[in-house]
Amino acid sequence: MRKPVALRHVVATSIILAALGAIGAVKAGLVGGDFMYALEQVQSPLAKTSPVLPDPHGPRLARRVFLVIIDGLRLDKSYELPFLDELRRRGVDTEAQSHYPSWSRPNYVSILTGVPPVASGVRTNHHSTPVELDSLMDRAKAAGLEVACATDYDVLPKLFLRKRAPDAHDAYRAGQVAIEPDVDEDGEPIPLDIDAMDHPLSEAAIHAPDANYISPFDDARYAPWPGGFTEVGTAIAQGDADLVVMLVGSVDAAGHAHGGASAEYRIAAELADHALGRALARIDLNQDAIIVTADHGHTNRGGHGGIEPEVLSVPLILAGAGVKPGASADDAHLIDLAPTVATLLGIPAPGHGLGRTLSEVLALDPAVRDARRAADDTRLASTRSVVARSEAAAASEAKARRAWRISLVAGGAVLAMIGAALLVRRRVMRLDGRVLLVSVPAFFVVYYAMIGAAGQGFSPSLVPAQGHIAVVMAQYGIAAMVVQLLASMWALRREVSLTERLAKANGIAWMGLLFAMIPAGLAWALMPAPYIVLPSAHMLVLIPAVEVAVACAAIDVALTLVVEVIVFAARARQVDVSSKR
Ligand SMILES: [Zn+2]
């Protein structure tokens, strides 16, 4: 007969496996938590090139243009609103497509620069540095026009802050204490964190009053209090700014809180419509133009970010001077708005844009229309080639990284197999088919089923509230952990030999870690950050999901082993007591 396995060796194996799990958990958890930030690019490749400005200063079609963004208003819920319907009746009733990922910051940038998230580097609402792309505000100011903004959500002006020309400001500051850390120890410029201002005790907030930045608007009014939007909207409308950007945030808030199909969302849309109607009541549409759109829609349960039709389809309403009443846009996207607004004002389109002038909805002379089209073509040829070049460079870099990362993952898997074979041979670990079949899949089935069913499928829109996707996944992971722990205990309940039981628990731990780590390793190898090329909507959920799965599975493994060691110690004591009797 073979010599029995020493208990302390089995316990030692448990401890080593639990420690490996803990390291994996921390690493994967950090990667999963950082994923949304890893999607961001501080500077887009386009921002490193000069704006392409072939557009002629055309005739000005509208004296003033009001560009209104109703945050989160989806197309089908934008009808039967008195003010919007009146604009539709007098002008153009059409729709536009938002851009994936369909979050707010990325699409404020789509609308105001004509650059979609894939090329702007602004991919999520975690983007917190000013966007260095040429914008409608930059073009209008360069043409000597006045630009204003009225909003109840302060992010929009902050997202387009510009560095003040250094001369006057630096002269003023000469000899004073450094009030703004422009560069780090290595002399690298530190990008401004616009969200840091929200924490009144932060360095950014303390330095803010005399920081070297200038608003993108000549007049920007932010009024977050009840009735504030109507108040500042009316004041700005009564002024004489040539380009007015308006943003209403309340409909999006209602969508997150109650869902896009709710009565509350509908009421929020009615109230926003009413507020706009009041603010813009005196606008003379014979001279001025109003454009109303949204940055994205909402799912019925609330949430956006993905590619669902109700999230991507948004209203596009144009009325007034320069608009061709009754016309319809041909496959309009949010990136087409910047060149369209520029055409109405007779100024060049923002020079990094990837959209086109929606000339089919404008009352343009054929000669002007052709000149705009030619200018669009020149700009697009240049901007598209910049984007294509950077994507090709990123793809070849990723390819190079992929090769050695895949070999690393394969090598790790082989090492794990060899390790397992050694442990099985020394009988400190047992791979029991029945036990493994009950306990190992339990975690993964419960976890992925919950992401698919409890949220809104494998879509970035899965979180109805404005939460962090990884945090929601971790909640599903905890539920899956509980199920897996119970399944393991049930599968092991009939083991009489304590050593056997712990050896089989080691088997569960090893198999669980392997199954969690291989997909995470593959995601890391096949789709490595930085994400110049944007992952698809499914991958945007699956990549952090597999990382969070490793974190949870590893904690789970550690817990399983801890429970088993406790059971083991308790039973050992029992045996000890009864043998002495
Ligand atoms: Zn939102």
Side-chain angles (χ1 to χ4, degrees):
M1 220 187 108
R2 287 172 80 182
K3 212 177 101 193
V5 183
L7 296 181
R8 59 196 162 88
H9 291 163
V10 183
V11 174
T13 308
S14 301
I15 291 169
I16 291 169
L17 282 171
L20 281 177
I23 295 168
V26 172
K27 284 238 155 206
L30 290 177
V31 174
D34 278 350
F35 174 71
M36 296 298 265
Y37 300 93
L39 286 173
E40 298 301 335
Q41 291 172 266
V42 171
Q43 201 186 36
S44 118
L46 278 169
K48 293 174 195 148
T49 66
S50 348
V52 190
L53 303 166
D55 312 55
H57 278 259
R60 189 158 167 180
L61 305 175
R63 191 187 57 159
R64 306 178 70 193
V65 176
F66 294 83
L67 176 56
V68 181
I69 304 167
I70 304 180
D71 202 310
L73 180 64
R74 70 190 219 187
L75 178 66
D76 61 342
K77 304 288 177 183
S78 72
Y79 287 92
E80 288 169 41
L81 298 171
F83 180 65
L84 297 195
D85 283 350
E86 173 65 10
L87 292 178
R88 285 181 166 114
R89 201 182 58 73
R90 298 178 62 168
V92 168
D93 169 15
T94 188
E95 66 173 276
Q97 293 297 303
S98 177
H99 299 271
Y100 163 76
S102 50
W103 281 302
S104 289
R105 292 185 193 196
N107 283 298
Y108 298 158
V109 174
S110 303
I111 293 169
L112 293 168
T113 69
V115 184
V118 63
S120 69
V122 184
R123 274 80 179 272
T124 74
N125 285 339
H126 297 298
H127 193 101
S128 64
T129 55
V131 179
E132 292 172 22
L133 293 163
D134 198 32
S135 70
L136 263 179
M137 293 76 82
D138 294 310
R139 280 307 109 218
K141 279 188 176 181
L145 305 185
E146 203 181 301
V147 199
C149 176
T151 177
D152 55 5
Y153 183 50
D154 65 330
V155 161
L156 183 95
K158 289 199 291 194
L159 207 48
F160 295 94
L161 283 175
R162 292 288 176 255
K163 235 167 167 150
R164 199 189 298 267
D167 46 357
H169 195 70
D170 282 3
Y172 168 75
R173 295 201 315 188
Q176 310 215 345
V177 281
I179 51 166
E180 182 204 351
D182 285 328
V183 289
D184 63 17
E185 304 92 48
D186 305 324
E188 289 292 314
I190 300 171
L192 177 75
D193 182 345
I194 57 173
D195 291 326
M197 315 277 204
D198 298 341
H199 310 290
L201 301 181
S202 69
E203 284 301 298
I206 292 163
H207 296 147
D210 198 26
N212 200 18
Y213 288 91
I214 190 163
S215 160
F217 299 98
D218 299 294
D219 189 354
R221 303 200 192 181
Y222 163 53
W225 53 84
F229 179 80
T230 310
E231 186 184 320
V232 293
T234 306
I236 291 285
Q238 281 169 355
D240 48 17
D242 305 273
L243 170 62
V244 174
V245 177
M246 290 183 162
L247 171 67
V248 190
S250 51
V251 178
D252 183 56
H256 285 293
H258 306 283
S262 66
E264 288 86 348
Y265 180 81
R266 175 68 199 173
I267 291 168
E270 287 170 358
L271 293 173
D273 179 77
H274 190 243
L276 278 176
R278 284 175 67 190
L280 299 174
R282 302 243 191 102
I283 299 308
D284 174 7
L285 290 176
N286 293 316
Q287 303 185 71
D288 303 333
I290 299 175
I291 301 177
V292 182
T293 191
D295 51 349
H296 56 75
H298 258 279
T299 62
N300 284 344
R301 284 173 58 189
H304 53 89
I307 52 172
E308 298 84 353
E310 65 273 32
V311 162
L312 287 185
S313 297
V314 293
L316 177 56
I317 303 163
L318 304 95
V323 174
K324 195 200 288 178
S328 186
D330 174 22
D331 191 27
H333 288 80
L334 290 181
I335 55 170
D336 301 327
L337 285 174
T340 304
V341 169
T343 301
L344 282 170
L345 288 170
I347 58 172
H352 291 126
L354 290 156
R356 65 175 182 96
T357 306
L358 298 170
S359 48
E360 65 271 30
V361 296
L362 301 181
L364 291 176
D365 281 349
V368 175
R369 187 193 60 210
D370 292 347
R372 277 284 165 179
R373 230 172 241 172
D376 280 353
D377 289 344
T378 307
R379 172 170 46 80
L380 287 172
S382 168
T383 52
R384 282 180 183 159
S385 89
V386 171
V387 174
R389 270 202 309 274
S390 90
E391 289 190 348
S396 80
E397 255 178 62
K399 206 174 158 191
R401 245 172 300 157
R402 208 169 283 163
W404 71 262
R405 284 191 175 188
I406 286 180
S407 27
L408 216 65
V409 172
V414 169
L415 273 182
M417 305 281 184
I418 294 172
L422 285 174
L423 296 176
V424 169
R425 253 189 84 180
R426 298 207 52 186
R427 289 183 292 146
V428 290
M429 180 165 107
R430 268 204 64 182
L431 298 176
D432 179 304
R434 189 191 66 87
V435 169
L436 293 179
L437 208 64
V438 172
S439 67
V440 173
F443 173 82
F444 299 98
V445 170
V446 173
Y447 176 66
Y448 287 107
M450 281 191 82
I451 296 179
Q456 305 187 60
F458 288 88
S459 159
S461 306
L462 95 152
V463 191
Q466 283 163 309
H468 196 301
I469 285 184
V471 173
V472 177
M473 288 172 179
Q475 289 167 1
Y476 298 153
I478 291 169
M481 266 159 63
V482 173
V483 174
Q484 202 272 342
L485 268 180
L486 294 174
S488 297
M489 289 179 74
W490 185 80
L492 294 169
R493 74 195 183 286
R494 289 214 203 104
E495 287 301 327
V496 256
S497 153
L498 303 174
T499 323
E500 273 293 278
R501 180 173 166 132
L502 193 54
K504 284 185 181 176
N506 285 343
I508 297 175
W510 179 81
M511 197 68 111
L513 283 177
L514 192 72
F515 274 110
M517 282 181 179
I518 286 180
L522 287 178
W524 172 76
L526 296 175
M527 280 160 289
Y531 300 101
I532 308 286
V533 181
L534 201 55
S536 71
H538 284 130
M539 282 301 153
L540 210 65
V541 176
L542 274 175
I543 296 173
V546 294
E547 300 292 352
V548 172
V550 173
C552 294
I555 295 170
D556 195 17
V557 158
L559 285 178
T560 307
L561 293 174
V562 167
V563 168
E564 288 311 312
V565 170
I566 291 171
V567 169
F568 171 83
R571 285 217 200 155
R573 241 186 105 223
Q574 259 179 20
V575 174
D576 204 33
V577 170
S578 53
S579 67
K580 274 182 190 161
R581 212 171 267 164

